[in-house]
Amino acid sequence: MKIKWFGHSCFLLTSDNGVNILIDPFDVSVGYKLPEVAADIVSTSHEHFDHNNTEIVQGDFYHVNKTGTFSHKGIEMKGVATYHDEVNGEERGHNIIYKYIIDGLHICHCGDLGHTLSEEQIKQIGHVDTLLIPVGGIATIGPEQAVDTIKRLKPSLVIPMHFHTDVLNFTLGKLEHFLEKIGGGHHLGKQEIEFDKNTLSNLPSNVMVLNYE
């Protein structure tokens, strides 16, 4: 499978047989170049402008924006209810963590997770091979909580997201703060990473930093 990062929290997951899943597309005000992509499935973790711009997606697609279990074109998905803040959504509302099973791999996208996960939420998420996790703080969990979440979910691969970059039009914490807390990572130097169940353990690091276009 392939994982492509468009910046912020937006990723395109592509299965071996070509099914495309677009996650949390943003609008032009965020600062990154808008993705120009067709998708079979689009998931949105919550209804904020930097995560729910489904209007840019080309073609007919299956939209997932609720908790529960879903299946489309051979892709199994599960949405787990969480919050965008540490006060049960009173400040920023609700958030959904989605886990996708693609080519036998369990890919988990945390959306704008804003708090430490409960044991029940950890149980609901279950096994995770690859974790896409916010690390920039301010509007989500920061480096310390991200590292704690990683230790508890125990993924083989972590891809950080939702941190400050030169093109982002608002302030988030820097990626380097997270990398210091977790003990380093590998900058892939490109936008896309490809692996399968056999090659996942052979990557240069269990923390891989992707480039945005």
Side-chain angles (χ1 to χ4, degrees):
M1 70 163 298
K2 298 176 183 177
I3 299 179
K4 186 174 185 178
W5 186 47
F6 290 105
H8 208 43
S9 298
C10 184
F11 292 86
L12 183 69
L13 314 181
T14 304
S15 71
D16 287 344
N17 63 356
V19 178
N20 285 326
I21 305 101
L22 186 68
I23 306 173
D24 281 13
F26 47 79
D27 75 10
V28 68
S29 68
V30 173
Y32 294 99
K33 180 181 177 181
L34 289 178
E36 296 180 1
V37 63
D40 301 290
I41 300 166
V42 178
S43 66
T44 48
S45 60
H46 61 293
E47 296 302 319
H48 287 175
F49 69 94
D50 53 337
H51 295 261
N52 72 343
N53 189 17
T54 58
E55 294 182 2
I56 65 170
V57 186
Q58 301 168 12
D60 295 325
F61 55 87
Y62 181 76
H63 186 199
V64 182
N65 62 350
K66 298 178 181 177
T67 59
T69 56
F70 310 90
S71 180
H72 187 69
K73 291 198 170 183
I75 306 298
E76 301 295 325
M77 295 163 279
K78 183 178 186 180
V80 175
T82 58
Y83 298 105
H84 199 327
D85 53 51
E86 296 184 313
V87 287
N88 297 329
E90 291 182 14
E91 292 182 356
R92 301 188 188 93
H94 293 258
N95 176 71
I96 301 173
I97 288 178
Y98 283 108
K99 188 175 79 168
Y100 319 82
I101 303 178
I102 306 169
D103 302 329
L105 290 162
H106 293 235
I107 314 299
C108 182
H109 184 282
C110 292
D112 267 4
L113 177 64
H115 60 92
T116 299
L117 293 172
S118 68
E119 289 300 323
E120 178 58 29
Q121 288 165 331
I122 293 286
K123 183 178 178 181
Q124 288 181 49
I125 294 167
H127 175 72
V128 175
D129 292 304
T130 299
L131 183 64
L132 313 177
I133 187 167
V135 301
I138 301 177
T140 67
I141 58 173
E144 294 84 0
Q145 285 176 304
V147 170
D148 176 71
T149 303
I150 291 163
K151 288 179 179 178
R152 295 172 69 205
L153 288 174
K154 299 176 179 156
S156 298
L157 171 63
V158 174
I159 299 177
M161 64 180 187
H162 208 274
F163 52 82
H164 194 75
T165 68
D166 291 340
V167 302
L168 189 67
N169 284 333
F170 48 88
T171 301
L172 293 175
K174 294 181 178 180
L175 171 66
E176 288 73 22
H177 296 158
F178 165 71
L179 295 179
E180 289 172 5
K181 287 290 182 183
I182 204 165
H186 179 79
H187 288 263
L188 189 61
K190 55 184 180 179
Q191 192 177 14
E192 186 175 85
I193 186 170
E194 183 173 2
F195 56 88
D196 58 28
K197 292 176 72 173
N198 296 322
T199 59
L200 180 59
S201 60
N202 297 328
L203 296 173
S205 171
N206 63 346
V207 178
M208 299 292 287
V209 179
L210 302 183
N211 285 7
Y212 56 88
E213 189 171 58

